[in-house]
Amino acid sequence: MHEEVVPVLRVADAARAVQWYERLGFRKEWEHQFEPDFPWFLSVARGDVRLYLSEHTGDAPPNGLVHLYVSDIDDVSAEFGVPVDEEGLAGRECDLKDPDGNRLRVATRRS
């Protein structure tokens, strides 16, 4: 059985959030809305990594932090115009904030 954890991040505008996460290599898997004009809840994935993005105020606190390990840290750094910290605690890493203030520590593990 494959086990996984899927963090939920609070977003104010799901469509805007999806566009931002696409820059990081994620793609929207699915979206759910109970009724028109209700908040959106959706899933984005990058390979086997999955995040839920929720407009529901009770689903997650604001300004969460997620560690994301990737093989292409230099591409991420270039896309977002942020430097790579060569001596980060998680390896070679850079820090990002999505449009809603959620923090992502994106890293490539040391060999």
Side-chain angles (χ1 to χ4, degrees), residues 49-98:
V49 175
R50 181 166 289 102
L51 296 171
Y52 291 157
L53 306 177
S54 178
E55 292 179 350
H56 295 266
T57 58
D59 282 348
N63 307 320
L65 171 63
V66 172
H67 284 255
L68 173 63
Y69 291 95
V70 300
S71 60
D72 58 345
I73 189 67
D74 294 311
D75 292 340
V76 170
S77 170
E79 171 64 27
F80 289 92
V82 296
V84 173
D85 178 354
E86 299 293 336
E87 301 299 323
L89 293 175
R92 297 183 68 232
E93 66 183 31
C94 59
D95 291 326
L96 302 175
K97 272 192 182 178
D98 75 8

Side-chain angles (χ1 to χ4, degrees), residues 18-26 46 75-76 78-81:
V18 166
Q19 289 177 340
W20 189 88
Y21 280 91
E22 286 173 341
R23 292 178 58 203
L24 194 52
F26 285 83
R46 175 187 161 128
D75 292 340
V76 170
E79 171 64 27
F80 289 92

